Structures are given as C-alpha cells and as structure tokens.
C-alpha cells in the first residue's frame, strides 16, 4: 500500500523546521506574494531557497502556495516568480485560479496542486483538473467520506489531498465576502479579518420562537463561528480511502501547535501502516493540549449541523497545556540552552514533548540567565523572549519543548 504523506503548515522558518523535526513528510508555505496568508511572516526568496535545501536534505518536500485570486495588476510578476520557484527546486505549487494555473503551465514544469479554494467536491471536476495537467487536487473541506471514495474510484490516476485537522471556514473554503464587505480586507487575497468570529444579532422570523434562544440572548450570538476540524478518532477510515496526502491547517499557529499536532498524526499514520492499527485515546488528549475552539468531524460523516458550530464567544479557545520553553541548543549531554516562551520558575513541574507520542515529566532545574551567550547569573524566574542555560541528567534534544499544565 502506498503511504499517504503527512503535510504540515509552515508559517516561517522556525515552524518549517519544527514540522519536519516532529514527523511531517512535507510542508506547505507561502512566499511574500500570491498566497492566502497575508498576516503570516511568510518566506523571503532567500529563505525559500534555504528551506527547500533544508527539507530536501532530510528527504522532505516543500509546496508553495499561489492560491490568491489575483487581479490584473498582480499577474505581471508571476511568470518570473514561478520560474524562480522551479529553479530552487520547489516540489509543487498550490493554485486556485485558472489564470495562475495557465501561467505556471506556460512558464515552468512545476507540479501543480489545485487548492481547496477551487471547491472540488465531485469526481467530474477532479477529472477536469487532471486532464488539464494537475498532479494533485486538494479536495474541499465540505465533502464526505463516501464522496471521497467515489472520487478515488472514478479518478484513480490523480493524487488526492484532504484536510484532517485545524480551523474550518464558515463559508466554502475561502469564498466568504464578510471580511471584504465589513473591513475592506479581502479573504480571497490573503487578508481575512475573520468576521465570522464576531458577535451578531440574528432575527429569525419564520421559525418557532423557541428555536433561536438556545443560541442567542441579549448579548447576541456567534452563529457563524465554526469549531475546529479533528479527524484523529477516524483517521483510519480516511486512510482506507486511498488518499495521497493528509493536510494540517495552521500557518498562523505557533510552534507548540505545529509540534503537538504533527507528532500525534505521525504516530497515528505509523500505527495504521504497521498493520496493527488501534486507536490510542492519548492522541485526542494530546490534541486537546493545544489551542482549539472545540472539535468537530467536519463534513466527513455528513453535514455537521449545530454541533459543528461554536456559539460561546469569539475567543472560546481551550487548551490543557501551555508552551513555556524550547530547547534552542544542546551544549553537551547535560547542558542546554532554552528559549523561554512563557514565564516559568525553578522547581516547576513541566512536561517534555519530543517526536513520538510519549511525554516525559521534568522539574525545572536551576537556571542561568544568558545575554548574547554570556552568563549573567542564576535566576529563579525566566521571562518570555529570554534565554537560559540549564544542567540536567534528563536527555533532551534540540527542538524538544517544555510545557506546563494549565
């Protein structure tokens, strides 16, 4: 059986390296132009070249998003840009617009993945893209397991990619106009203000009076706000369909999210392909550790209905753990430099996360504050954006992370 790849988000260089370290087979990212995450740091041309080399040296793949819906004036730089991407060895580009698709085909031999923004939910549209020269189609999020199976059976000679985890769009994957209308920030050009997360007053005149008060009171409702997608409890059913790539959403999320989500799905995929698959409840527990808006199965088992919505408030995130430090450097077998992300204290009980599903306990030892690699003395408390040196007999590796329970 051909193994599906695990595809992770990379919003910057640190996240790319984190995704690869924790088990991703490939990463998707955006350059400074033509991608749908204007708020992300994204990658300069120099960073793109360095990161493609970094990934390839480790046997990993890099896909660059060109999924903007462009206007005329934005097309002029595109031919030179895609030639640059081909030159540095990018493995594929992700395209939503027919004009962009044509420019890529005319100027390069780059493999093309058709973005989820193209809203492919049936086998006829997938076959059309294949006939036009696409290597892969990223299916719409609004699709069931049965639909995917039929697409796979009727179009067996194209790669299929599906989303398995992360934020859901309340519209048809990026086709929303709320942000553009309300703030002038165009979601289809990478600048969504997430207007769906705002509070609204909704008046429904045709339904019984008892219907809406469940979700609306004098403070309003967050009726447009979706829960986050999580498929870990039925990931085997998705893999049995013969899809080629499992995609994790989240280029705007932090390194803790990237590390924790990637390591969970990596462990699940490895379990499936071992031939002895068994659902591990720890997978879901680990996914609860990182920030989420509660989880939904999405459309995989049918239309989600009200259970797929998050009606509490715009910021109704929950998580069981908080990242406090990352292992920045291993000096020796017992000495390490930590990059502090949230305040922590000597003697605090923490957990170590590494590639793999296991978690180790860790008590914070004495810390020596560093300033440009110079030791400034012992401290009892370390603050965000600082660096400390620790000595411990517990083995750590670069890019391991320390977290605490909330």
């Amino acid at each position: 059986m051909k193994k599906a790849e695990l595809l992770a988000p990379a919003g910057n260089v640190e996240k790319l390296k984190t995704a690869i370290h924790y088990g991703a087979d490939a990463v998707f990212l955006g350059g400074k132009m033509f991608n749908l995450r204007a708020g992300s740091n994204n990658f300069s041309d120099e960073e793109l070249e360095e990161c493609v080399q970094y990934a390839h040296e480790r046997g990993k793949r890099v896909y660059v998003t060109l999924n903007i819906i462009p206007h005329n004036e934005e097309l002029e730089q595109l031919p030179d840009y895609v030639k640059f991407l081909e030159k540095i060895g990018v493995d594929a580009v992700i395209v939503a617009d027919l004009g962009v698709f044509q420019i890529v085909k005319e100027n390069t031999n780059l493999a093309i993945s058709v973005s989820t923004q193209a809203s492919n939910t049936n086998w006829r549209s997938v076959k059309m893209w294949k006939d036009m020269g696409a290597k892969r189609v990223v299916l719409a999020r609004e699709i069931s397991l049965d639909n995917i199976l039929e697409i796979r059976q009727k179009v067996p000679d194209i790669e299929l990619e599906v989303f398995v985890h992360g934020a859901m769009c309340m519209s048809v994957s990026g086709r929303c106009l709320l942000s553009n209308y309300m703030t002038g920030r165009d979601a289809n050009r990478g600048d969504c203000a997430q207007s769906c997360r705002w509070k609204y007053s909704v008046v429904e005149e045709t339904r019984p009076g008892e219907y809406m008060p469940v979700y609306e009171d004098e403070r309003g409702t967050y009726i447009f706000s979706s829960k986050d997608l999580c498929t870990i409890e039925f990931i085997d059913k998705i893999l049995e369909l013969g899809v080629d790539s499992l995609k994790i959403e989240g280029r705007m999320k932090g390194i803790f999210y990237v590390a924790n989500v990637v390591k969970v799905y990596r462990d699940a995929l490895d379990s499936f392909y071992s031939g002895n698959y068994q659902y591990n409840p720890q997978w879901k527990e680990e996914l609860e550790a990182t920030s989420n808006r509660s989880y939904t199965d999405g459309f995989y088992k049918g239309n989600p209905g009200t259970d797929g919505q998050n009606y509490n408030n715009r910021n109704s995130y929950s998580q069981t753990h908080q990242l406090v430090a990352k292992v920045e450097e291993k000096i020796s077998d017992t000495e390490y430099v930590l990059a502090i992300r949230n305040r922590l204290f000597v003697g605090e009980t923490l957990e170590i996360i590494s590639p793999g599903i296991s978690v180790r306990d860790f008590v914070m030892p004495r810390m020596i504050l560093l300033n440009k690699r110079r030791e400034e003395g012992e401290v009892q408390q370390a603050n965000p954006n600082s660096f400390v040196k620790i000595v411990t007999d517990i083995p750590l590796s670069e890019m391991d992370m320390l977290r605490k329970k909330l």
Side-chain angles (χ1 to χ4, degrees), residues 38 71-72 80 271 278 280 307 357 363 369:
H71 292 200
N72 288 333
D80 287 339
S271 174
Q278 185 173 1
N280 183 350
D307 288 340
I357 199 64
V363 176
L369 185 65

Side-chain angles (χ1 to χ4, degrees), residues 73-137:
E73 63 273 13
E74 295 168 309
L75 292 176
E76 293 181 7
Q77 301 177 66
L78 187 54
D80 287 339
Y81 188 63
V82 296
K83 290 175 184 176
F84 164 73
L85 295 179
E86 182 177 43
K87 179 182 177 182
I88 66 173
V90 165
D91 295 280
V93 291
I94 304 171
V95 171
D97 179 78
L98 279 166
V100 175
F101 189 98
Q102 186 178 42
I103 289 172
V104 175
K105 293 288 290 181
E106 289 176 350
N107 290 276
T108 73
N109 292 310
L110 283 167
I112 301 176
S113 295
V114 179
S115 171
T116 190
Q117 271 73 35
S119 304
N120 286 284
T121 57
N122 66 80
W123 70 269
R124 281 287 186 179
S125 63
V126 172
K127 184 178 185 302
M128 182 207 71
W129 284 112
K130 178 192 78 73
D131 293 344
M132 290 175 60
K135 181 180 180 182
R136 175 183 294 185
V137 169

Side-chain angles (χ1 to χ4, degrees), residues 200-204 211-221:
Y200 293 89
S201 249
V202 178
V203 177
E204 171 58 81
Y211 180 80
M212 290 305 296
V214 177
Y215 308 115
E216 181 178 15
D217 57 25
E218 67 278 1
R219 293 171 296 178
T221 179

Side-chain angles (χ1 to χ4, degrees), residues 34-36 65-69 94-96 115 117 188 251:
F34 308 113
N35 86 92
L36 282 183
T65 55
L66 302 177
N67 53 349
I68 189 175
I69 307 298
I94 304 171
V95 171
S115 171
Q117 271 73 35
N188 291 305
R251 279 191 283 153

